[in-house]
Amino acid sequence: KMTADNEIEIKEAFQRAQKGHNNKAKLVASLNSRYNKLEDKTLFHEEFVHYLKYAMIVYKREPTVENVMEFVARFATKEEEEEEDDAEDDHPFLSFLFNFLLESHKASSHAVRFRVCQLINKLLGSMAENAQIDDDLFDLIHQAMLVRATDKFPNVRIQAALAMTRLQQPKDPDCPTINAYMLILENDTNAEVRRAVLSCIAMSPRTLPKVLKRTRDIKENVRKLAYQVLAEKVHIKALTIAQRVVLLQQGLHDTSEAVREVVCSRLLPAWMLRLDGNFTELLHRLDVENCAQTALDTLQAIFRGTPTEELLQNRAQLDNRKLVPVDSLSCENVLYWRALCEFIKGKGDDGDEMLEQVLPDAATYADYLYGYLKAVPLLSEEQRADFNQLELVMTKEFISQQLIRLIGCLDTNEEGSRKRVLAVLQEMLALPQTPSSLVSLLTEKLLTLLPDDHRRIQTVSLHLYSVDTVNPLAEVKVRILEAKQTLEDCIAAQDFSRAGELKDSIAELENHRNQILQEVTESSQPSDKEIRAEKSDPETLLRCLIMCAELLKQMSIKTRIGPTISALMSSLVLPSIANAHPAVRNMAVVCLGTCTLHSKELAKTHMVLLLQIAQLDEVKIRISALRAVIDLLLLFGFQLLSESAATQTASQSQSPERQEEDAPAAEDRGDAAEDTAQSILVMLSELLDSEVSDLRSEAAEGLAKLMYTGRISSAKMLSRLVLLWYNPVTEDDTRLRHCLGVFFQLYARESRVHQEVVEEGFLPTVRTLMNAPATSPLAEVDINNVVELLVELTRPSALIKPSANTECVCLQEVCVHDYLAVRMCGEMLQDPTAPEVRLYAKTLSNLELSRGETVRKDLQTLLQQLVQVPGRWTVLNTLSKKLQLSECRFIVGALLRPCEVTRALVCTGQRKVGTAKGGRKPSRRAESSERSARRRPFLEIQTIFDCVIFHTCSAPPPFDHSDGENVPESLAVVRPSRRAKIAALEKTKLDLNTLINQEANVS
């Protein structure tokens, strides 16, 4: 039994330290007792380092080695702690160990460099909070770790970054450690290194933007840790409103479930804790007026993690009527009220009882809403110039929007309540002071309460006509239009008796309309022309067009355009397209585009008009027209253009003789349709180069939709989209980057045909980048990254719906990567001295090639021709080494021995392949060679292990020589069974005692 007073030999201490169950505190105390009794500690230092070297040459994270590192750190800092208690400043062993490690940090062995950085990290981390070290030693450690932070091996960089944690000086604007950390976060390609820096970097105004940027890192684990760091180290008040909003927008909608979970479970609770659980204060710090949807998503995320009883206790200042008093309404509490009601409503039947506690009945709420909206002032042009008044009205409009949206949570199943809500909505639409920004929302809620499209059309058309003239005349107009529509239906159904009755009814209604007009003219009121002139101002037209657009949007796509809608088109929409006011023209274009979706005939008629508007008007109006054109092409296809030409031809042909005469004209019209289709694509292609980012994004999104739905298939256009995505000019265009990023993945994974389009656009994309002039933004694009993307998109295993028998397909069918390999080989043969040859050779090694006999022979022939080209052996040897571990190993033989290839090794270990000359059985020597090739990766590992044993059998090697550890990064090995794993672990468990005893026997 060992106690603290017993002395222990260094060798025995290292042997015991390897065991995890040993009490390291007793080991440290016992060895420290022996150390303190020594007068001359030089021999102790040398012997201690001697045994330490055995652990430092092991790169793998073996438990025995990790235990030794922990023991060494404890022993070294134990001495520092005791001497600190004795008020002494001299720590001989710690200083000696630091000097030894600093002398060894430049060793050629990455294992030694890794252990040096790891041990320095443990030593600095184990020292007391108020510990002090010599300034010169501090500088030496600092410089050494800065060098190792740029090491070739990621694990070395990780330990170096962790070791510099306590060397940071956040208040120093030129702190080299923080500068190195920020450089690593920006540029290090290894995700684990970036994570290590995130975990230890000190927060300051300089480092905060770098940490925020890591929330958009490509790796899920880095993004997750970035949010954890922000939750733990950064107060919500240290962030700007824009930073908070961006964090929540990205975090709550991250593609990774783990990242979203961290935002909901760590970041938001941390913010609420620092704000004392005040929801209103949280919303105030998010600027809800400009980011309402983000605020709603944030509240929904918090509600999901909050008990229901607690939510009901935090009701938004509701009075006994279950309403927020009008005087207390604010942007924050009304949004919280809406979010709470929508969250409870989303629970379904389980939330009905709770909803009654936070929301009144429909009739009471309708009167409450009407009273608030009626008090919203209507500003004149002079009043709008006053920023304070304008801000007040904008706040009231925002509150009104949230109150209107709360209608969706009301219980309108009861007929009386629904009628009251409908009446209030209609009254609010008729109020002249109702802002235009609320008209769309009011119309939407009104239409959702109506049961069918017929009632919706009738209600909205009545409102539209009542805006232009007096109400009795508006009602008569609507009734006339409805009667005409019914008359058409009866004629189509050949119900002539009913049609006769309707004709009489229409005549009576028209007489009634004329009487009303005569009464208006004879009365003291202004004439109908004066009324119409008064009601045709841009504000009134805009309100009418907004209601019309919302009606067309809410209508079923199967509802055909009847007389009422046709009358609205001819009397309201089409005249407004030529209006001088841009907002009126834009809404008219929206109405026209939406209406043409309901009628193919209308689409044929107005397609050219929409195309003209998309090229000639203001940017916002051009975008609306462009969206309409894209929607029409998505719904009807490019056949819409040819059918329009065919219809015109048929209408003009009256006789066989005339048909023969018009045959050339028909062909011309067909060519004209093709020219129109081509002109549309040319227009979209030109918009991709537009300097206006919104137009560029809209065109790119439209092309992506057309390609994904199969309306167009163009490798050239896909190449343009890829180049646009990588172009630095679009770096700040978040919508464009996100849209294309999603499109590429969905498009390529959808079908084999789409992958072939990507493969066809591979070489044009590469050529464009390679030939880009130095002044072009494309010259800054990393071509290797582009090639990697295209290879991943065309990978056969990436298909969402692969063939049923994947293995059979890989053996027999030709994959897209096969075609890509042939294309690249052909390019290399055309100009073997071109700079892109090395890129193609590297790309070939990353392809998933099939195992078909035809493909094998073709590639063998091409590769044999490549090998015979002088001056390209370096590239091809590199390719052969990479392909040696791939599935298609027949290429290796073609590369290394093009004249001696007698068989191709396909599916190694699964079947035997005969020689090229017939089906003779291969020789025993050849079989032995094949078996050797199959075992080669395992032999390499064994050789490496033997090399380590050889070094450790003699005295520990000096660290300025290589230790022979050339371990490949990855080897393609078959996954063993659980029993085999356990047996292998027992056999390969590292024990330093064996190596130490061997060294003792040799000596």
Side-chain angles (χ1 to χ4, degrees):
K1 184 178 180 181
M2 181 186 65
T3 63
D5 296 332
N6 294 336
E7 297 181 6
I8 186 173
E9 295 292 333
I10 298 176
K11 178 180 177 180
E12 184 181 356
F14 272 86
Q15 289 175 335
R16 293 188 179 186
Q18 298 177 55
K19 309 299 181 182
H21 60 271
N22 276 318
N23 191 331
K24 290 186 176 57
K26 291 184 178 180
L27 279 177
V28 169
S30 179
L31 189 60
N32 191 55
S33 175
R34 179 173 183 270
Y35 179 76
N36 291 333
K37 293 179 181 180
L38 297 174
E39 295 182 1
D40 185 6
K41 297 178 172 55
T42 305
L43 293 177
F44 182 94
H45 293 170
E46 293 178 356
E47 186 179 359
F48 191 94
V49 167
H50 173 84
Y51 289 108
L52 175 60
K53 288 182 179 180
Y54 286 102
M56 293 182 65
I57 62 175
V58 181
Y59 183 66
K60 189 178 179 182
R61 302 295 291 266
E62 293 282 353
T64 54
V65 181
E66 298 302 315
N67 290 334
V68 169
M69 293 292 117
E70 186 67 28
F71 162 71
V72 172
R74 286 195 183 187
F75 177 74
T77 52
K78 174 69 176 178
E79 181 227 9
E80 182 264 342
E81 291 174 1
E82 290 183 351
E83 294 194 2
E84 182 183 350
D85 295 338
D86 297 337
E88 297 180 6
D89 295 332
D90 187 24
H91 314 305
F93 181 78
L94 184 61
S95 300
F96 167 78
L97 187 57
F98 269 127
N99 290 327
F100 163 74
L101 294 173
L102 293 174
E103 292 172 359
S104 307
H105 86 90
K106 293 183 179 180
S108 58
S109 168
H110 60 278
V112 175
R113 299 197 303 273
F114 167 69
R115 295 299 177 183
V116 165
C117 296
Q118 182 191 32
L119 198 48
I120 291 178
N121 175 33
K122 288 183 177 293
L123 290 173
L124 293 175
S126 300
M127 296 172 68
E129 290 292 332
N130 57 348
Q132 298 180 356
I133 59 176
D134 183 70
D135 290 342
D136 295 335
L137 180 60
F138 177 91
D139 293 337
L140 290 174
I141 295 173
H142 206 175
Q143 294 172 7
M145 293 301 99
L146 286 174
V147 173
R148 295 278 66 82
T150 60
D151 196 275
K152 176 183 177 181
F153 286 82
N155 283 337
V156 179
R157 301 200 298 273
I158 290 173
Q159 293 301 323
L162 295 175
M164 290 191 292
T165 302
R166 299 188 66 177
L167 306 181
Q168 299 178 83
Q169 297 175 348
K171 295 182 180 180
D172 182 4
D174 298 321
C175 175
T177 299
I178 291 181
N179 291 337
Y181 278 169
M182 294 193 297
L183 191 65
I184 291 172
L185 287 177
E186 285 286 339
N187 301 311
D188 201 296
T189 57
N190 188 276
E192 293 303 317
V193 180
R194 300 197 297 273
R195 290 186 76 250
V197 172
L198 276 176
S199 66
C200 59
I201 191 171
M203 287 294 105
S204 68
R206 289 181 61 214
T207 59
L208 180 58
K210 304 296 182 182
V211 176
L212 290 173
K213 193 173 182 179
R214 287 307 100 204
T215 59
R216 302 187 298 275
D217 195 278
I218 191 173
K219 293 295 183 181
E220 169 190 329
N221 289 337
V222 179
R223 301 197 302 273
K224 179 180 175 181
L225 182 60
Y227 280 106
Q228 291 176 352
V229 170
L230 290 171
E232 296 170 1
K233 297 182 180 181
V234 181
H235 197 286
I236 184 175
K237 294 181 180 179
L239 301 168
T240 65
I241 291 178
Q243 288 172 339
R244 297 171 198 145
V245 171
V246 170
L247 276 177
L248 294 174
Q249 282 177 344
Q250 296 173 348
L252 292 174
H253 299 93
D254 196 280
T255 55
S256 168
E257 176 65 29
V259 176
R260 298 196 298 271
E261 178 62 26
V262 166
V263 174
C264 297
S265 62
R266 301 285 291 276
L267 183 66
L268 290 177
W271 285 4
M272 290 298 295
L273 182 64
R274 293 183 174 102
L275 297 175
D276 299 326
N278 192 329
F279 286 95
T280 305
E281 185 67 19
L282 174 65
L283 293 176
H284 180 70
R285 297 187 181 278
L286 294 180
D287 189 16
V288 296
E289 290 187 62
N290 297 316
C291 308
Q293 189 57 49
T294 302
L296 283 172
D297 295 339
T298 302
L299 290 175
Q300 295 286 338
I302 297 175
F303 292 162
R304 285 193 293 269
T306 306
T308 306
E309 296 76 12
E310 186 176 339
L311 289 178
L312 295 178
Q313 293 175 1
N314 295 329
R315 288 181 291 180
Q317 305 174 5
L318 299 180
D319 56 16
N320 54 0
R321 299 177 301 163
K322 304 171 190 175
L323 294 169
V324 178
V326 174
D327 297 337
S328 302
L329 279 173
S330 66
C331 297
E332 289 77 21
N333 61 19
V334 72
L335 190 70
Y336 177 77
W337 188 21
R338 172 194 165 191
L340 180 61
C341 293
E342 288 180 351
F343 177 76
I344 297 175
K345 180 78 172 179
K347 291 180 174 293
D349 296 338
D350 298 336
D352 290 344
E353 184 177 348
M354 292 184 290
L355 193 61
E356 293 177 358
Q357 302 180 38
V358 294
L359 202 62
D361 62 273
T364 302
Y365 184 81
D367 295 336
Y368 169 79
L369 176 61
Y370 181 73
Y372 185 84
L373 282 182
K374 196 173 182 179
V376 176
L378 183 63
L379 298 182
S380 62
E381 292 297 329
E382 294 78 9
Q383 291 174 325
R384 287 183 177 275
D386 187 350
F387 180 76
N388 293 328
Q389 290 191 17
L390 182 62
E391 185 179 13
L392 178 62
V393 171
M394 291 176 64
T395 300
K396 288 184 175 294
E397 287 183 11
F398 178 82
I399 295 173
S400 301
Q401 288 176 358
Q402 308 312 312
L403 293 177
I404 294 171
R405 292 189 182 278
L406 263 173
I407 293 177
C409 298
L410 297 175
D411 182 9
T412 55
N413 293 325
E414 199 269 323
E415 184 67 20
S417 299
R418 184 170 65 255
K419 285 184 177 180
R420 179 56 186 156
V421 175
L422 284 171
V424 168
L425 289 173
Q426 292 178 12
E427 290 179 22
M428 286 189 289
L429 282 172
L431 286 175
Q433 66 265 31
T434 301
S436 299
S437 58
L438 302 179
V439 172
S440 176
L441 197 54
L442 288 169
T443 308
E444 176 190 344
K445 295 303 178 185
L446 174 66
L447 296 177
T448 53
L449 293 174
L450 297 173
D452 53 55
D453 286 344
H454 177 71
R455 286 279 306 278
R456 292 167 184 161
I457 295 172
Q458 182 183 17
T459 304
V460 172
S461 59
L462 182 61
H463 272 283
L464 293 177
Y465 285 114
S466 66
V467 170
D468 285 339
T469 182
V470 292
N471 285 325
L473 183 57
E475 185 177 358
V476 173
K477 284 185 176 182
V478 173
R479 291 175 62 185
I480 291 174
L481 291 174
E482 290 177 351
K484 288 182 178 180
Q485 180 177 353
T486 308
L487 175 62
E488 289 185 0
D489 294 339
C490 291
I491 294 175
Q494 297 183 357
D495 187 357
F496 299 110
S497 59
R498 173 63 176 159
E501 297 175 0
L502 287 171
K503 283 185 178 181
D504 297 337
S505 176
I506 292 173
E508 293 178 2
L509 290 171
E510 289 178 345
N511 292 332
H512 185 45
R513 180 188 61 181
N514 295 332
Q515 292 177 4
I516 295 175
L517 288 174
Q518 185 176 3
E519 291 175 1
V520 170
T521 304
E522 295 175 354
S523 65
S524 60
Q525 298 179 8
S527 65
D528 185 58
K529 293 183 180 180
E530 292 177 352
I531 294 176
R532 287 185 176 276
E534 181 183 352
K535 294 295 183 179
S536 62
D537 59 286
E539 184 70 22
T540 302
L541 285 176
L542 184 60
R543 289 164 60 96
C544 294
L545 289 169
I546 291 173
M547 294 177 64
C548 183
E550 194 62 39
L551 169 64
L552 294 169
K553 187 197 308 182
Q554 294 288 338
M555 284 170 52
S556 171
I557 195 67
K558 298 180 180 180
T559 301
R560 67 186 184 89
I561 301 298
T564 305
I565 300 296
S566 298
L568 289 175
M569 287 289 296
S570 59
S571 62
L572 176 65
V573 175
L574 292 176
S576 299
I577 287 180
N579 193 281
H581 200 277
V584 175
R585 289 204 310 275
N586 180 60
M587 193 52 61
V589 171
V590 172
C591 289
L592 178 61
T594 311
C595 189
T596 52
L597 293 175
H598 292 267
S599 171
K600 197 171 185 178
E601 296 301 321
L602 278 178
K604 296 174 185 177
T605 305
H606 299 295
M607 184 67 163
V608 176
L609 175 61
L610 290 172
L611 286 172
Q612 291 175 347
I613 297 173
Q615 300 177 71
L616 300 177
D617 215 315
E618 295 185 6
V619 172
K620 187 176 181 180
I621 305 173
R622 291 176 64 187
I623 290 175
S624 298
L626 184 60
R627 288 176 179 171
V629 170
I630 296 296
D631 288 342
L632 290 175
L633 294 177
L634 288 172
L635 182 62
F636 301 117
F638 284 87
Q639 297 87 348
L640 181 70
L641 306 174
S642 58
E643 289 178 6
S644 177
T647 302
Q648 295 176 8
T649 304
S651 62
Q652 295 177 2
S653 300
Q654 298 176 354
S655 64
E657 294 78 6
R658 181 64 182 270
Q659 292 178 6
E660 293 178 1
E661 294 175 0
D662 290 349
E667 294 179 2
D668 293 340
R669 293 188 187 97
D671 294 339
E674 293 181 4
D675 293 341
T676 306
Q678 188 67 25
S679 64
I680 293 175
L681 295 179
V682 170
M683 178 192 72
L684 294 174
S685 179
E686 291 175 350
L687 289 177
L688 294 180
D689 298 325
S690 174
E691 296 180 358
V692 182
S693 61
D694 291 338
L695 275 174
R696 188 172 57 223
S697 300
E698 200 65 44
E701 183 176 342
L703 283 170
K705 290 178 180 178
L706 291 171
M707 294 189 68
Y708 183 73
T709 55
R711 292 302 185 185
I712 61 174
S713 179
S714 171
K716 181 179 179 181
M717 202 63 74
L718 182 70
S719 176
R720 288 289 308 277
L721 294 179
V722 172
L723 294 173
L724 183 65
W725 195 47
Y726 277 99
N727 197 322
V729 174
T730 64
E731 184 176 2
D732 297 330
D733 196 340
T734 306
R735 178 192 168 197
L736 174 67
R737 290 288 181 100
H738 178 74
C739 171
L740 291 181
V742 174
F743 161 69
F744 291 141
Q745 296 293 331
L746 294 178
Y747 180 76
R749 296 176 62 192
E750 180 68 22
S751 69
R752 161 78 181 259
V753 176
H754 291 175
Q755 285 191 337
E756 291 176 356
V757 175
V758 178
E759 178 264 331
E760 188 178 347
F762 179 88
L763 289 180
T765 305
V766 173
R767 291 193 193 111
T768 302
L769 292 174
M770 295 296 295
N771 299 328
T775 56
S776 172
L778 293 177
E780 304 175 17
V781 176
D782 183 3
I783 189 171
N784 293 297
N785 191 283
V786 179
V787 169
E788 289 176 6
L789 170 70
L790 297 177
V791 169
E792 289 301 318
L793 293 179
T794 53
R795 201 172 291 281
S797 57
L799 287 173
I800 298 177
K801 299 178 181 179
S803 301
N805 192 348
T806 306
E807 183 67 22
C808 180
V809 169
C810 292
L811 287 172
Q812 298 177 4
E813 290 189 4
V814 178
C815 300
V816 176
H817 275 190
D818 298 332
Y819 295 117
L820 189 58
V822 173
R823 285 181 186 270
M824 286 190 288
C825 290
E827 284 292 307
M828 288 190 286
L829 284 172
Q830 285 184 5
D831 186 5
T833 61
E836 59 266 26
V837 169
R838 184 177 295 274
L839 173 67
Y840 292 145
K842 179 183 177 182
T843 306
L844 279 172
S845 63
N846 295 326
L847 300 181
E848 287 185 10
L849 302 176
S850 65
R851 303 168 188 172
E853 189 72 19
T854 304
V855 177
R856 183 193 66 181
K857 291 181 179 179
D858 292 342
L859 287 177
Q860 279 184 346
T861 303
L862 289 172
L863 291 170
Q864 287 175 8
Q865 296 176 17
L866 283 172
V867 171
Q868 295 171 4
V869 176
R872 306 311 301 174
W873 273 99
T874 304
V875 176
L876 295 175
N877 284 338
T878 303
L879 173 61
S880 66
K881 291 178 181 178
K882 291 180 179 295
L883 289 176
Q884 195 167 7
L885 297 177
S886 68
E887 295 180 351
C888 300
R889 299 194 180 191
F890 60 89
I891 301 180
V892 183
L895 284 169
L896 297 181
R897 297 180 300 279
C899 299
E900 302 174 4
V901 175
T902 56
R903 58 183 171 272
L905 182 61
V906 183
C907 303
T908 304
Q910 295 183 8
R911 61 176 182 174
K912 296 181 180 179
V913 181
T915 61
K917 298 179 180 179
R920 289 188 299 172
K921 183 178 180 181
S923 65
R924 184 169 300 176
R925 180 177 298 179
E927 290 181 340
S928 176
S929 175
E930 286 187 16
R931 287 195 297 269
S932 299
R934 298 168 189 166
R935 293 197 303 265
R936 183 172 181 179
F938 302 99
L939 289 175
E940 288 177 352
I941 296 173
Q942 185 64 33
T943 305
I944 294 166
F945 182 75
D946 291 341
C947 192
V948 175
I949 295 294
F950 173 78
H951 283 303
T952 55
C953 285
S954 57
F959 291 151
D960 56 345
H961 293 85
S962 175
D963 62 349
E965 289 186 274
N966 297 319
V967 184
E969 294 183 2
S970 63
L971 294 173
V973 294
V974 181
R975 183 177 180 181
S977 63
R978 183 180 297 273
R979 182 176 298 176
K981 285 183 180 179
I982 296 173
L985 286 174
E986 291 297 327
K987 291 181 180 179
T988 60
K989 186 178 292 184
L990 184 62
D991 187 1
L992 295 178
N993 294 334
T994 305
L995 307 181
I996 295 174
N997 293 332
Q998 286 180 355
E999 184 271 337
N1001 295 333
V1002 171
S1003 61

